[in-house]
Amino acid sequence: MAAVQSKIARGVVYIHSAPSALRPHVEWAAGRALGRAVNFDWRDQPVLKGAFRTEYFWEGDRGTGAALASALRGWEHLRYEVTEDAGLGTDGGRWMHTPDLGIFYAQTDTVGNMVVPEDRIRSAMEEAGSDAFELHRELRLVLGQAWDDELESFRLASEESPVIWLHKVG
């Protein structure tokens, strides 16, 4: 008898910056996608005056990550990331959104690495031809580097953040 695959998915919603007035709308949209009310623990976002940040660990059916990313998409001034962990027989996903760039999606493996399909790599190689700089540019597009670049300063933890930094010992 084949093992039953879990339909439960887990992930994290990272709201990197949201204006104060948008916070209840973000919670409502996330709650609607999750099928239950949520209350986020909002903290000041030191990178952008008047903005707030939060992280929320979620659990739901497979595909909930996409539902969350879609529910949050389209609001001006909202920066966020949604992850859905890979499970037995299922890929994970990562969605990044910025007001200027819109939304980016990448498939992820069991440890959170982006998985780039073979056809996309071949397309980048074909576009670049023998131009190494063009190949570099194409691969940065494939990996969502512009989104990472824009979100990086917002990701850094502030003193009030629940993130615990580990330091190398020895």
Side-chain angles (χ1 to χ4, degrees), residues 43-46 53 156-165:
R43 301 176 187 279
D44 286 337
Q45 171 51 271
R53 63 185 284 161
L156 299 175
S158 67
E159 289 179 15
E160 298 103 31
S161 176
V163 173
I164 299 170
W165 293 100

Side-chain angles (χ1 to χ4, degrees), residues 49 53 96 99 101 109 122 124 129 133-134 144 150 157 164 168:
K49 185 177 171 109
R53 63 185 284 161
M96 296 183 283
L101 298 171
D109 65 14
R122 289 184 188 283
F133 290 109
E134 181 62 17
E150 187 170 328
I164 299 170
K168 185 176 178 181

Side-chain angles (χ1 to χ4, degrees), residues 1 16 21 32 36 58 61 72 82 94-95 114 123 143 145 150:
M1 180 189 230
H16 295 298
R32 187 168 166 93
R36 65 182 175 282
W58 61 268
D61 294 332
L72 298 173
V82 176
R94 178 176 171 209
W95 296 260
M114 285 186 188
S123 174
L143 295 171
Q145 190 64 51
E150 187 170 328

Side-chain angles (χ1 to χ4, degrees), residues 25 48 97 107:
H25 302 286
L48 185 62
H97 178 270
Q107 175 186 341

Side-chain angles (χ1 to χ4, degrees), residues 7 30 83 112 119-120 125 138 143 148:
K7 293 184 180 185
T83 65
D119 287 344
R120 187 61 186 99
M125 291 168 42
E138 287 288 330
L143 295 171
D148 274 333

Side-chain angles (χ1 to χ4, degrees), residues 29-98:
R32 187 168 166 93
L34 290 167
R36 65 182 175 282
V38 296
N39 293 301
F40 293 160
D41 180 20
W42 294 97
R43 301 176 187 279
D44 286 337
Q45 171 51 271
V47 175
L48 185 62
K49 185 177 171 109
F52 294 86
R53 63 185 284 161
T54 191
E55 336 181 320
Y56 185 80
F57 294 87
W58 61 268
E59 188 173 285
D61 294 332
R62 289 268 155 223
T64 298
L68 283 162
S70 294
L72 298 173
R73 189 173 56 98
W75 275 318
E76 195 173 335
H77 307 298
L78 185 64
R79 289 173 182 84
Y80 67 87
E81 289 179 81
V82 176
T83 65
E84 182 170 316
D85 297 341
L88 290 175
T90 62
D91 296 321
R94 178 176 171 209
W95 296 260
M96 296 183 283
H97 178 270
T98 73

Side-chain angles (χ1 to χ4, degrees), residues 140-161:
R140 287 175 55 89
L141 287 172
V142 169
L143 295 171
Q145 190 64 51
W147 283 263
D148 274 333
D149 292 346
E150 187 170 328
L151 291 173
E152 190 59 28
S153 64
F154 291 92
R155 291 177 180 141
L156 299 175
S158 67
E159 289 179 15
E160 298 103 31
S161 176

